[in-house]
């Protein structure tokens, strides 16, 4: 089997050490880091994502695949940065101010990382201003917010409004999620997207970027 195919297969099976070793092997064989990323790792993750959506595999399988992706990214990231190749996109994520619920947000962050995005996780209880200042400092492409309480949801609107004030609106895409949040609410506050779960969040963030960018 071809090396990139082996990387994809092993990633789908969640074999993190094997995926890291094969990735090193591919680098040594002078395969371009971007090709390893696109045709090995992301190709494998796309299969995992489809299987998860069709309920052919379950969350633990996705988390194992994400761990394998992360282990390979440790190898590739310095090379991608050195060559100025954009990593899939930078996402600033957090649970909004006064919200301590972070289990769902953590899951979304893991899956985004697993799909090859660079994720800056601000944790929980994150003030609106912090989302904005970090997005600006880090030149992030996406701001992701999670809220589990009806009382904390308004912070999401505050972030959207601040993004407008700071000229980020439209340049940085804003995605919101969490049990009480809905598509209608996202629309109402002017967020770019709503996602109902981690896999859907990955698909949504992917949709913000042109193919193979
Ligand atoms: Co709290 N809590 N809690 N709680 N808690 C809820 C949310 C609640 C619905 C329980 C209830 O009353 N039935 C209720 C909210 C009511 C409301 O506002 N409508 C509630 C309450 C009231 C409270 C306190 C106020 C209780 C109190 O102290 N009186 C308090 C508030 C603390 C605070 O935040 N300031 C509180 C505290 C806590 C704990 C600390 C004990 C703990 C949180 C621990 C932690 O997160 N580290 C906790 C928990 C565990 C829950 C429940 C039981 C479970 C939440 C969870 O983790 N679900 C919850 C009841 C419930 O939801 N059934 C409840 C699993 C997780 C994987 O799902 O977070 O929905 P979820 O994330 C999903 C999607 O929503 C989506 O993808 C995830 C993966 O599929 N998603 C995104 C989430 N964020 C996303 C972001 C995206 C995209 C998708 O893009 C960026």
């Amino acid at each position: 089997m071809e090396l990139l195919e082996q990387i994809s297969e092993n990633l789908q099976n969640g074999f993190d050490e094997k995926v890291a070793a094969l990735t090193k092997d591919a680098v040594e064989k002078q395969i371009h880091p971007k090709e390893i990323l696109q045709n090995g790792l992301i190709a494998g993750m796309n299969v995992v994502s489809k299987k998860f959506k069709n309920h052919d595999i379950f969350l633990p399988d996705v988390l194992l695949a994400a761990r394998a992706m992360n282990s390979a990214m440790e190898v590739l990231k310095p090379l991608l940065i050195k060559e100025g190749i954009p990593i899939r996109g930078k996402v600033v994520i957090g649970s909004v101010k006064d919200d301590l619920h972070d289990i769902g947000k953590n899951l979304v962050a893991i899956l985004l990382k697993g799909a090859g995005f660079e994720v800056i996780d601000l944790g929980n209880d994150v003030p609106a201003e912090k989302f904005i200042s970090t997005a600006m400092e880090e030149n992030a492409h996406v701001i992701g917010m999670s809220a589990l309480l009806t009382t904390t949801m308004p912070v999401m609107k505050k972030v959207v409004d601040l993004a407008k004030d700071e000229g980020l609106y439209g340049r940085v895409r804003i995605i919101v999620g969490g049990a009480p949040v809905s598509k209608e609410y996202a629309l109402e506050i002017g967020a770019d997207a709503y996602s109902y779960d981690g896999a859907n969040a990955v698909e949504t963030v992917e949709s913000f970027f042109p193919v193979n960018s």
Side-chain angles (χ1 to χ4, degrees), residues 98 100-104 144-146 148-150 177-179 195-197:
D98 293 329
L100 302 180
H101 298 87
D102 63 0
I103 297 170
M145 289 179 278
S146 179
L148 264 286
L149 297 171
T150 45
S195 276
Y196 50 86
D197 68 12

Side-chain angles (χ1 to χ4, degrees), residues 7-28:
I7 291 177
S8 166
E9 290 263 324
N10 280 280
L11 181 138
Q12 290 168 48
N13 289 317
F15 299 148
D16 59 335
E17 285 175 13
K18 182 83 181 160
V19 172
L22 287 167
T23 302
K24 276 186 198 139
D25 203 12
V27 170
E28 274 158 23

